[in-house]
Amino acid sequence: MDVLGHKLWDLDIFGQGGHDIRLEWSAEGVSALADECAVLVVVDVLSFSTTVDLALMRGSRVLPLPWGGKAATETAATAGAALYDDDGHALRPTSVLRTPPGTLLALPSPNGATLCATAADTGAKVLTGCLRNAKAVAELARAVAKGEPVGVIAAGERWGVDILAEPGTVGPLRPCVEDHLGAGAIVDALIALGLERPSPEAAQAARAFRAAGPDVGAVVAGSASGKELINGGHRGDVELAIAVNRSQVAPYLVDGAFQNVAAR
């Protein structure tokens, strides 16, 4: 309880009830929106959602795995999924361009993949989207929701991620520009499809995306997350991530793995 005697966690408020499109951040956002949203769309532009888009574009499927310890390696081995590319690097957007069609890829990450697994545990239908496929993902989300609310989850980044950490021990949330814009692109596309009642949180993200206009890519590349990747030698990953609506792929979680499903 707070000093006024009110609940600090009131799902009637934080679930953004009464809106067709809702937006929140990270795992707490999944918890807040899952009860009323038929569909949850996880947005992790740099780089989980972008990697999934490109992998599915090549005919692969992607198994999203929670982050931490040896669990991802063991789960990938059990599923018969590839966890690394041919050069032994963790899967990234540029690396999946070499993946043979039909490959089952295991993709752990502290943000996007972990949140997809968390969202699936709620019983919601789970999609993942990014700037590349915002319109395609919005079309599928609308079709799958069948008139029920759609929740968009901006993944955000984490402070102090440790590759050896156990699940749940990564650092606190760092809200980030790229996921706010990616979520806004999907909300904007949902509004264009006729979902008329976005929550203020969702509407503001859509406004940010529209305001960025043709400069969206430059904004993402110039953000802290973009600079981190570029300075680390991964400019190609950023360039793939900022190709707005270049893709028609709509990643839908089916039996634990993402596959490309066209809107019906």
Side-chain angles (χ1 to χ4, degrees):
M1 306 287 280
D2 68 7
V3 293
L4 297 178
H6 298 150
K7 290 182 180 179
L8 292 175
W9 184 249
D10 186 340
L11 289 181
D12 289 338
I13 295 174
F14 291 102
Q16 300 172 23
H19 296 283
D20 296 331
I21 314 169
R22 310 175 189 189
L23 184 146
E24 263 301 343
W25 288 84
S26 198
E28 291 79 8
V30 171
S31 297
L33 301 187
D35 283 350
E36 294 188 14
C37 291
V39 175
L40 294 175
V41 183
V42 175
V43 181
D44 184 358
V45 171
L46 296 175
S47 297
F48 172 79
S49 300
T50 299
T51 303
V52 172
D53 170 78
L54 289 158
L56 269 57
M57 184 180 70
R58 290 184 55 79
S60 297
R61 291 181 299 130
V62 175
L63 182 69
L65 297 178
W67 183 260
K70 297 180 179 179
T73 302
E74 294 170 354
T75 303
T78 300
L83 186 60
Y84 301 99
D85 66 16
D86 292 338
D87 297 322
H89 298 125
L91 295 168
R92 305 190 320 272
T94 50
S95 71
V96 297
L97 295 177
R98 303 190 301 269
T99 303
T103 302
L104 176 62
L105 300 174
L107 186 54
S109 80
N111 302 302
T114 297
L115 290 174
C116 288
T118 300
D121 287 342
T122 71
K125 296 175 176 64
V126 181
L127 286 68
T128 186
C130 56
L131 288 167
R132 290 182 56 85
N133 59 13
K135 288 183 178 180
V137 167
E139 289 172 359
L140 180 61
R142 179 179 180 271
V144 171
K146 297 180 179 178
E148 296 297 314
V150 175
V152 181
I153 305 296
E157 295 291 345
R158 293 283 169 177
W159 295 103
V161 172
D162 183 350
I163 194 170
L164 299 178
E166 291 300 316
T169 61
V170 295
L173 173 68
R174 177 174 70 81
C176 56
V177 167
E178 68 274 13
D179 291 348
H180 195 237
L181 291 172
I186 292 169
V187 172
D188 186 56
L190 286 167
I191 293 170
L193 290 169
L195 278 71
E196 297 178 347
R197 297 183 299 166
S199 69
E201 291 83 355
Q204 186 58 41
R207 290 189 191 102
F209 171 72
R210 290 194 294 267
D215 295 327
V216 167
V219 172
V220 172
S223 70
S225 302
K227 287 181 177 178
E228 179 186 29
L229 286 175
I230 291 170
N231 291 347
H234 304 304
R235 180 180 293 275
D237 291 339
V238 176
E239 290 176 348
L240 288 168
I242 60 179
V244 179
N245 285 318
R246 191 72 56 83
S247 169
Q248 296 300 312
V249 168
Y252 188 17
L253 195 64
V254 179
D255 296 330
F258 279 110
Q259 61 185 47
N260 184 21
V261 176
R264 296 180 177 86

